[in-house]
Amino acid sequence: MSFRLRAVRAFTLLVGFHLMGVALLSAIAVFDWLLMTRLFSARAAWFEGMVLTVTALLAAAILRGLFTFLRAGRLGPVPHGVAVTPQDQPELWGQIQAAAEVTGQRPPNEVYLVAEVNAGVAEQSRLLGLLPGRRRMLLGLPLLGGLTVPQLRAVLAHEFGHYGNLDTRLGAVTMRGRDALLHTVEVFQEGSTRLHHAIGALYVGYARMFLRTSQSVARHQELAADQTAARHAGRDATAAALRVVPVLAATYTHYLETYAAMGRSLGALPPEGEVHGGFRRLLAETGEQLALLSSGQRPPRPHQYDSHPPIAERIALIEKLPTDGRPDDATDEPAALTLLHDLGQVFIALESRTLSQEAARLRRLSWDDLVMARAVADAEDWSRPLRVAVARALRSSAQGAGKTATVHRTATTEAVADNELPTLEEILDAFDRGLLWMAVADRMPKPHQAARLSGPSARNFIRPKVFDGLAGMVHLRLAESGYAKPDIAWSGQPGLILPESWEKGMDDAIDAAVADTPDTAPLRALLAGPHCVSA
């Protein structure tokens, strides 16, 4: 079957999705008319009223779906984006207009910069997209941070290529119809009554049939848009963009979770403009690694109804194109972010639109101060269970007056004030007294499933927690004395840089202290060295 016939079939099913609601409403109206005039007498009025109520609710659900489908193509506000005009960002708009011109399309009426690794063009469609309307482009600042200018040209040309009437106008209509249909199904699935869910199940079944039928049309459109991008930006730049975008998306998720949210529990944020702007710093440090990942990473498996063919297939088709004489080395190409003026102010403006009012009022810390505060908070979290357990063990030992203390079930729940928590040296003294694998270990928190462990199994289960507790106290000691320095580590994990003697000997020293027969001498020797301050 030719593409044109597939597009006509998909468009027919798209119209049928709308007509299905009209047919259901007509059937309900006929049923209600028969019910009121022919089927029941006055003696069954109560039952007739109940049935009419049910059909009215069904009709309301269907009408909701019809209006949702018709409104799906409307462009709503973009509260989380920064609007930029040709006067604000002439170089960026120049690239956008060039991509629109080469694809024979109208440029967008408005452009928004958003905090996503994504790009897209949306159109205010009417009559299922047959009548064009206002266009809007969304460009993710994180995406611009990871693309070169030629790669951005490829992305822009690809997006406009969706509107290029590549083989038939119905192909582009089908693409927009898929989005409208999925939006309608989501509204039904969020219905507030069982009738909404019942009608929604009918629409979901029809939607699945439409998605299966139109998938070949959608994928043909994607491949054709790739060809358009390759003609405009070059074969190699287009293939490189396809490789790097999935890696950028994963890297940005890592950045948000590891760096931007680093101070969330501390009530702090990175410096102004760095909540999203810090991502460019991470990319600057991991540029080569990112290139390696983008060339070797296996892309995720597409969803069964995904309109995009597998990325490997798309790249293979592009690389089969003849060479176009353009350089394939992107290392010397400028980053797409260089197209923007006043980049710092752009990131600040994006923060003002993406942060909640509560988050915007949080204190701001430099990256180094944020890393140090996070490291200190983590070290306190690691060390507190051990310090509490040792405090309880020492208390129980003192109450025993030299006798073997019995560990009660309530011993792990005794309150311990902060001023009663032992120092690092006091913990080591308790280990030397033989309290670690009796009183202390029994008082360390553990899940219910591990409560019955005993002997070597119990020690091996609790040993890593004791190790972390001692390591946390060492980090606190070194941070307080000024010997531990913050390390943002954009290419790894943020943390602390310890003095060389501690980097080399700390793990072995702590391992000795938490052995079956504890030996605290190596750790005490480090504590007595030049890079530490005794308590």
Side-chain angles (χ1 to χ4, degrees), residues 78-326:
V78 188
H80 302 304
V82 178
V84 292
T85 65
Q87 293 73 33
D88 298 330
Q89 303 294 344
E91 283 82 4
L92 178 63
W93 268 89
Q95 294 291 339
I96 294 172
Q97 289 168 341
E101 182 178 354
V102 78
T103 56
Q105 291 300 298
R106 295 180 292 112
N109 302 94
E110 51 196 41
V111 174
Y112 285 86
L113 301 177
V114 295
E116 300 175 7
V117 181
N118 198 8
V121 178
E123 186 174 87
Q124 179 95 22
S125 59
R126 294 169 291 172
L127 291 180
L128 298 177
L130 290 172
L131 296 180
R134 182 166 52 98
R135 281 184 178 175
R136 171 187 295 163
M137 169 161 273
L138 300 181
L139 278 176
L141 274 180
L143 179 68
L144 298 183
L147 297 180
T148 63
V149 172
Q151 291 167 1
L152 175 63
R153 292 193 192 107
V155 171
L156 295 174
H158 175 93
E159 296 304 324
F160 284 112
H162 288 156
Y163 293 85
N165 304 333
L166 301 167
D167 284 291
T168 171
R169 178 68 178 171
L170 298 183
V173 172
T174 300
M175 294 287 288
R176 288 191 286 274
R178 286 171 64 94
D179 296 334
L181 188 146
L182 289 172
H183 176 69
T184 304
V185 170
E186 289 174 359
V187 170
F188 272 120
Q189 290 178 333
E190 298 171 358
S192 56
T193 67
R194 292 184 179 179
L195 291 176
H196 280 85
H197 287 292
I199 295 295
L202 180 63
Y203 277 90
V204 167
Y206 192 100
R208 288 175 176 169
M209 178 182 67
F210 173 77
L211 291 174
R212 286 193 298 267
T213 302
S214 63
Q215 189 173 37
S216 61
V217 176
R219 293 194 169 190
H220 184 278
Q221 293 282 90
E222 289 294 336
L223 295 176
D226 288 343
Q227 299 290 315
T228 300
R231 288 194 297 270
H232 175 56
R235 182 194 67 178
D236 297 317
T238 303
L242 286 174
R243 287 192 185 96
V244 78
V245 168
V247 182
L248 272 178
T251 306
Y252 187 59
T253 299
H254 166 72
Y255 166 77
L256 292 177
E257 295 173 350
T258 306
Y259 295 93
M262 189 187 308
R264 180 184 301 165
S265 61
L266 307 174
L269 287 176
E272 190 177 22
E274 291 289 296
V275 173
H276 304 295
F279 185 56
R280 54 182 166 155
R281 305 184 189 281
L282 184 148
L283 292 176
E285 293 291 331
T286 60
E288 294 184 1
Q289 298 179 27
L290 192 68
L292 291 174
L293 285 172
S294 64
S295 62
Q297 175 172 299
R298 184 177 181 179
R301 187 174 183 178
H303 187 272
Q304 61 176 332
Y305 299 129
D306 194 350
S307 62
H308 294 72
I311 289 181
E313 176 185 334
R314 296 168 64 186
I315 293 174
L317 290 174
I318 290 173
E319 290 180 337
K320 288 180 180 179
L321 297 174
T323 57
D324 48 25
R326 308 187 203 193

Side-chain angles (χ1 to χ4, degrees), residues 255-526:
Y255 166 77
L256 292 177
E257 295 173 350
T258 306
Y259 295 93
M262 189 187 308
R264 180 184 301 165
S265 61
L266 307 174
L269 287 176
E272 190 177 22
E274 291 289 296
V275 173
H276 304 295
F279 185 56
R280 54 182 166 155
R281 305 184 189 281
L282 184 148
L283 292 176
E285 293 291 331
T286 60
E288 294 184 1
Q289 298 179 27
L290 192 68
L292 291 174
L293 285 172
S294 64
S295 62
Q297 175 172 299
R298 184 177 181 179
R301 187 174 183 178
H303 187 272
Q304 61 176 332
Y305 299 129
D306 194 350
S307 62
H308 294 72
I311 289 181
E313 176 185 334
R314 296 168 64 186
I315 293 174
L317 290 174
I318 290 173
E319 290 180 337
K320 288 180 180 179
L321 297 174
T323 57
D324 48 25
R326 308 187 203 193
D328 58 356
D329 186 4
T331 56
D332 296 332
E333 297 289 350
L337 276 182
T338 60
L339 297 172
L340 298 179
H341 293 205
D342 298 324
L343 188 56
Q345 291 301 315
V346 172
F347 279 113
I348 290 175
L350 186 61
E351 278 185 19
S352 69
R353 287 162 175 78
T354 55
L355 295 178
S356 65
Q357 293 183 357
E358 180 181 359
R361 290 193 291 266
L362 297 178
R363 58 182 176 139
R364 300 280 185 161
L365 297 177
S366 68
W367 282 114
D368 283 347
D369 289 343
L370 197 58
V371 172
M372 179 61 76
R374 179 73 268 166
V376 169
D378 288 342
E380 290 174 345
D381 290 340
W382 300 339
S383 62
R384 185 171 182 82
L386 176 62
R387 298 180 73 186
V388 170
V390 171
R392 289 168 179 160
L394 293 175
R395 179 190 299 173
S396 178
S397 178
Q399 291 172 351
K403 301 178 182 180
T404 302
T406 301
V407 180
H408 301 285
R409 291 184 180 274
T410 58
T412 58
T413 60
E414 297 171 1
V416 177
D418 288 343
N419 59 4
E420 295 180 299
L421 295 176
T423 63
L424 180 54
E425 286 76 12
E426 289 172 336
I427 290 175
L428 298 181
D429 290 342
F431 287 8
D432 288 340
R433 290 169 54 187
L435 297 179
L436 172 57
W437 297 121
M438 293 295 293
V440 174
D442 287 335
R443 288 171 169 81
M444 290 287 288
K446 58 180 72 70
H448 176 72
Q449 296 86 341
R452 297 181 180 180
L453 295 177
S454 60
S457 297
R459 289 195 296 273
N460 291 334
F461 179 83
I462 209 68
R463 200 188 314 273
K465 301 181 183 299
V466 179
F467 184 103
D468 290 344
L470 286 178
M473 295 204 68
V474 168
H475 285 183
L476 287 173
R477 179 69 61 82
L478 292 173
E480 291 169 358
S481 60
Y483 288 115
K485 304 298 182 184
D487 180 18
I488 188 63
W490 292 113
S491 58
Q493 287 286 337
L496 296 178
I497 299 177
L498 304 183
E500 184 178 358
S501 59
W502 283 94
E503 292 283 5
K504 291 181 177 180
M506 184 177 74
D507 285 355
D508 290 340
I510 296 179
D511 279 335
V514 301
D516 290 347
T517 302
D519 178 11
T520 63
L523 189 53
R524 290 181 187 275
L526 285 173

